[in-house]
Amino acid sequence: MTSCVIRKMNEVYSVYIEKGDIYSRRLYSGEWSEARTIACSVMGGFSVVREPFGAPAVIYRNKRGGLMLAGVGMRERCISDSVGDMYKSVYLEMIKNSEGVRIIYNRGYTDSCFIAEQHRGADITWSYPCIIDSHEGGSMTRLINLGGNCILFYTKNVPEHQLGYREIGGGIGSFKMVYATGYRIKDYSVALTQDELNVCAVISTGRINRLIYIRKDAHGISKPIIIGEGIINGCQISLCRSKPTVVFSTPKGNNILTSYDNGYSFKRVSKSEVFPFDKIPLIDYMAQYSDGFSATELVTCSHLPYDIKYCPFIKELSSI
């Protein structure tokens, strides 16, 4: 990733890359702090260390190809001098637990893309790469925290386009498909709690795109419903006081749809707002849905990664 928002108890951080360096800002007393430098001369993106306590820490690759660890108030240190196939990855995630660390990353073979895993235990040696699954490449692979567990979402083509996930705990679970289509999945977003999964996706059907919504709960997976059509570039979904809310981007502006009947239908709730639509991951360590809001991504202006749009808890903290 190149930017993200981290939410902890009474603390919100924005972590982002600017001109090859990683910075952090803290939302405090209604204002974003001055930027603090976490790391310099970074190659590619970074991954946030998945643990709920302390100030943000990140892993990244330096210009020499080493895998590095650094954070706010933490001295930079090397995790590995030689990261092998991780070195060329455009996607890199780290999971830290009592058993050690696990790295999940993209690995390419000729024209194919795969998700690979390596882990390091108490003996401080890295395992050999293990292929988890094939995927469609790009930025469609996303690691999400839920109640201390990690869930890996991605799309693959086998031969239809499938969107699904694997649960990652002590091991890596099997692939669970949520949606399949004969058309390309251009973008997707998920909002989840312990009891339900809400998905919106932009499906490219040729001349127009379709915006669809799917819900998975104890009753199973709902039939996809079309909630928008036209030139749709991206989408983001959240749960706002139990109401699924979808933001989607068009050339004429960004629009908001909300469902008042648990996802059976959606209504537009505001006029289009024009700004460069972008999304950043939300790494949320609060109790899921404790204040009526749940999301895995936030909408932002692409020029300012800490300028968050349509987010209740950011708005409330910014108005203090």
Side-chain angles (χ1 to χ4, degrees), residues 123-158:
D123 58 358
I124 316 299
T125 59
W126 287 98
S127 66
Y128 288 105
C130 174
I131 299 300
I132 297 175
D133 205 347
S134 63
H135 73 105
E136 291 199 277
S139 59
M140 304 296 276
T141 306
R142 297 161 195 178
L143 184 68
I144 295 167
N145 287 317
L146 179 63
N149 296 319
C150 290
I151 304 174
L152 185 69
F153 280 85
Y154 57 98
T155 62
K156 61 180 181 176
N157 191 357
V158 286

Side-chain angles (χ1 to χ4, degrees), residues 33 65 71 99 132-133 136 143 229 254 272 297 310 319:
S33 69
E99 298 175 353
I132 297 175
D133 205 347
E136 291 199 277
L143 184 68
E229 286 187 316
N254 306 301
S272 297
E297 299 174 305
Y310 312 131
S319 63

